Amino acid sequence: MPRITHFEIHDVRFPTSLTGDGSDAMNVDCDYSSAYVSLFTDSNLVGHGMTFTIGRGNDIVCQAIKQVANRIVNKEIESLFADMGKAWDHLVADPQLRWIGPEKGVIHIATGAVDNALWDLYARARQKTLWKLLVDMSPEELVKSATFRYITDVITPDEALAILKAKEATKKEREAIVRSQGYPAYVTSAGWIGYSDEKIARLTKEAIHAGFNHFKMKVGAELADDLRRGRLIRSIIDDPQWQRDLPPDDPESARRLPDGPALAGKNAGPTGAVLMIDANQVWDVQQAMDYVSSLAEIKPWFIEEPTAPDDILGHAAIRRALKPLGIGVATGEHAHNRMVFKQLFQADAIDVCQIDSCRLAGVSEVLSVLFMATKFGVPVCPHAGGVGLCEYVIHLSLIDYIAVSGTMERNVLEYVDHLHEHFLYPCSINERGRYNVPNNPVEGYSIEMYQSSIAKYEWPNGSYWALGKGRCRIL
């Protein structure tokens, strides 16, 4: 029976601050980084996982990954695969490591990297993509793969089982639909604060040409600047001259009707285009209410991360204040565990749930949040971008659509066109502006990185850094 024999960890950093990629009101200089782990076995199976940071501190996460990964060395892989929920419980159960969480912060995102690597190993062992591995599971197996500790006051395993059984008979139908159409996406690449107006206009037009009709921009540094950039983006996405014609029988056409169900409540413009805004936690609660009210003219669907990510009641207050303006609230990128999401749902604090593939501690905890979101009727639009997150989250959205919520009508999955070339199995977008479905049975969770990329960008001795060919702003 194969066992996990050892692991390797790499601190991989990319100098994205040089081009302003990832710039927002809170995070001015971002160097997209991967705390990357590979689990090796005494067979030819290897599982890969990572968590995402924006530069300094990536080494601290790597140290935490080492501590967590040690817990599954010498474990038989089939015994872990037989009960992935129990395996997740084991990863978070060390009392001394738990003390420096518990289940939050650096130790939690490190656990996410290890849990994701274990799921990647599982998928590769079954020669399936990660999403296919999970949607092919029975409802009982899926429930067993999740964690329910601390959330049974909101959802029990029996309730989750009922949700999954209600969707079971039609899973194949939904799988066929999404394979044919792709999964709806939105683009953030045009909206970074550090970009010039000329670059924003060019990238917005390119995004429209690529098939997108949902766009997100960063806000919160300066109101006049945000209004100028918002008006610029609106002037382009609402102008019919820039729009691509779609055949009337194209399924995407129905999603772009301003008065259709897919766009209801999204402040869509005359072309069916939707604008979202993201403050990356920069405001206090009252500041958020006042600032976003001043941006009402650019008609955002939602404000993302308007205040501190742990402030559940603050988000609820902001949502109540903005509701008369037709502006919703979204958060979750920094919601560090299922308990935060539980309270966001309980407090009726969000219109959109934005899970992160490695801020939460891996696939097992993500499942728990998907179950809760479906129970509360809140659409899940995962956070992506960064490095590797787009590769990850398409799997999570497919699991949600096919096996859990059963809908993608109002959902959109973030897409950022950065750093995909470093992965063996990069995500891709079709001509409708939708994610293609990962379909290679050897790719697992799609997060395996080229060894050449690791050799070049590993900090601090990779060839890019050691030879001084380039320097980012903050390293």
Side-chain angles (χ1 to χ4, degrees):
M1 186 75 70
R3 293 176 178 269
I4 294 173
T5 57
H6 65 287
F7 54 86
E8 292 181 1
I9 299 169
H10 299 279
D11 178 349
V12 185
R13 309 189 193 188
F14 300 95
T16 49
S17 63
L18 292 175
T19 53
D21 298 342
S23 53
D24 58 60
M26 181 65 77
N27 308 294
V28 178
D29 292 311
C30 302
D31 287 295
Y32 284 166
S33 302
S34 169
Y36 186 83
V37 59
S38 299
L39 302 176
F40 292 85
T41 69
D42 52 11
S43 68
N44 61 355
L45 286 171
V46 182
H48 307 280
M50 58 151 280
T51 199
F52 167 67
T53 78
I54 60 169
R56 283 196 303 270
N58 204 51
D59 52 335
I60 300 172
V61 181
C62 288
Q63 286 296 317
I65 289 172
K66 178 180 178 181
Q67 298 297 319
V68 176
N70 269 323
R71 291 185 58 75
I72 54 174
V73 171
N74 293 323
K75 296 287 187 184
E76 291 184 350
I77 61 174
E78 290 300 330
S79 67
L80 295 170
F81 299 161
D83 193 334
M84 288 293 281
K86 184 177 179 181
W88 190 91
D89 289 341
H90 177 70
L91 288 175
V92 301
D94 182 287
Q96 295 185 11
L97 296 180
R98 183 176 177 78
W99 186 262
I100 57 173
E103 296 187 40
K104 57 190 171 187
V106 170
I107 199 67
H108 207 54
I109 61 176
T111 303
V114 178
D115 186 67
N116 286 339
L118 186 59
W119 275 103
D120 181 63
L121 188 67
Y122 188 3
R124 289 166 180 260
R126 299 297 184 264
Q127 296 187 319
K128 291 185 177 184
T129 55
L130 186 280
W131 71 266
K132 183 64 172 167
L133 173 73
L134 274 85
V135 302
D136 284 351
M137 287 181 175
S138 69
E140 290 81 5
E141 289 172 320
L142 263 181
V143 168
K144 194 176 180 182
S145 297
T147 177
F148 289 88
R149 192 177 193 181
Y150 304 135
I151 63 171
T152 53
D153 54 324
V154 161
I155 192 161
T156 65
D158 285 345
E159 287 179 298
L161 187 62
I163 287 170
L164 295 172
K165 284 187 172 181
K167 308 297 192 307
E168 175 76 0
T170 50
K171 283 197 304 185
K172 293 297 183 184
E173 177 183 335
R174 286 188 296 279
E175 181 177 332
I177 289 171
V178 75
R179 282 184 181 276
S180 171
Q181 299 180 9
Y183 194 92
Y186 74 87
V187 65
T188 303
S189 297
W192 302 120
I193 274 181
Y195 287 176
S196 67
D197 286 3
E198 291 76 17
K199 187 171 184 178
I200 290 170
R202 174 176 59 80
L203 292 175
T204 301
K205 292 172 185 176
E206 289 177 1
I208 294 171
H209 182 73
F212 293 99
N213 77 316
H214 284 64
F215 308 83
K216 190 169 78 180
M217 61 173 278
K218 302 292 185 172
V219 299
E222 203 279 315
L223 179 60
D225 179 66
D226 292 341
L227 281 170
R228 187 192 74 255
R229 291 184 303 114
R231 289 165 181 155
L232 172 61
I233 293 173
R234 267 291 177 200
S235 71
I236 297 170
I237 66 177
D238 289 347
D239 189 337
Q241 74 168 309
W242 303 115
Q243 300 302 310
R244 287 176 47 190
D245 291 329
L246 291 172
D249 59 346
D250 191 313
E252 187 65 19
S253 296
R255 281 180 53 88
R256 301 192 179 199
L257 296 174
D259 56 351
L263 297 181
K266 289 187 176 183
N267 270 330
T271 64
V274 176
L275 180 63
M276 301 96 88
I277 56 176
D278 183 359
N280 292 92
Q281 319 155 30
V282 75
W283 300 310
D284 285 353
V285 172
Q286 188 61 51
Q287 282 181 302
M289 297 173 183
D290 296 340
Y291 200 107
V292 178
S293 295
S294 298
L295 293 174
E297 70 168 87
I298 63 173
K299 295 184 177 181
W301 169 23
F302 61 65
I303 174 63
E304 178 178 341
E305 285 201 312
T307 192
D310 302 339
D311 189 354
I312 284 85
L313 297 183
H315 279 85
I318 294 166
R319 184 172 185 256
R320 288 193 299 271
L322 297 180
K323 195 168 186 177
L325 299 176
I327 301 171
V329 170
T331 200
E333 171 183 349
H334 284 85
H336 46 231
N337 57 40
R338 64 205 176 280
M339 290 75 81
V340 173
F341 280 106
K342 178 185 79 169
Q343 294 177 54
L344 288 166
F345 294 136
Q346 287 174 311
D348 203 20
I350 53 173
D351 298 272
V352 173
C353 170
Q354 294 175 305
I355 55 172
D356 183 278
S357 56
C358 44
R359 176 71 60 177
L360 292 170
V363 174
S364 290
E365 190 172 31
V366 165
L367 287 173
S368 304
V369 177
L370 294 181
F371 297 154
M372 289 190 288
T374 296
K375 178 177 177 178
F376 281 85
V378 177
V380 176
C381 300
H383 167 247
V387 53
L389 300 188
C390 294
E391 278 68 30
Y392 265 150
V393 293
I394 178 56
H395 292 267
L396 303 180
S397 287
L398 290 170
I399 295 163
D400 178 51
Y401 169 56
I402 296 169
V404 186
S405 72
T407 181
M408 61 176 176
E409 183 176 55
R410 298 182 53 74
N411 305 61
V412 278
L413 173 55
E414 186 170 20
Y415 177 76
V416 175
D417 190 17
H418 305 311
L419 305 173
H420 303 298
E421 66 274 15
H422 298 290
F423 294 90
L424 272 70
Y425 309 104
C427 67
S428 62
I429 298 293
N430 67 23
E431 69 281 357
R432 299 186 179 102
R434 292 176 172 228
Y435 274 84
N436 290 310
V437 172
N439 200 36
N440 189 333
V442 304
E443 68 183 275
Y445 204 176
S446 305
I447 209 67
E448 183 176 0
M449 195 177 289
Y450 282 107
Q451 288 299 313
S452 57
S453 292
I454 294 173
K456 183 175 182 179
Y457 291 103
E458 185 155 20
W459 176 261
N461 297 317
S463 60
Y464 177 88
W465 302 113
L467 297 178
K469 289 184 177 179
R471 289 291 170 189
C472 59
R473 295 178 180 178
I474 64 172
L475 290 176

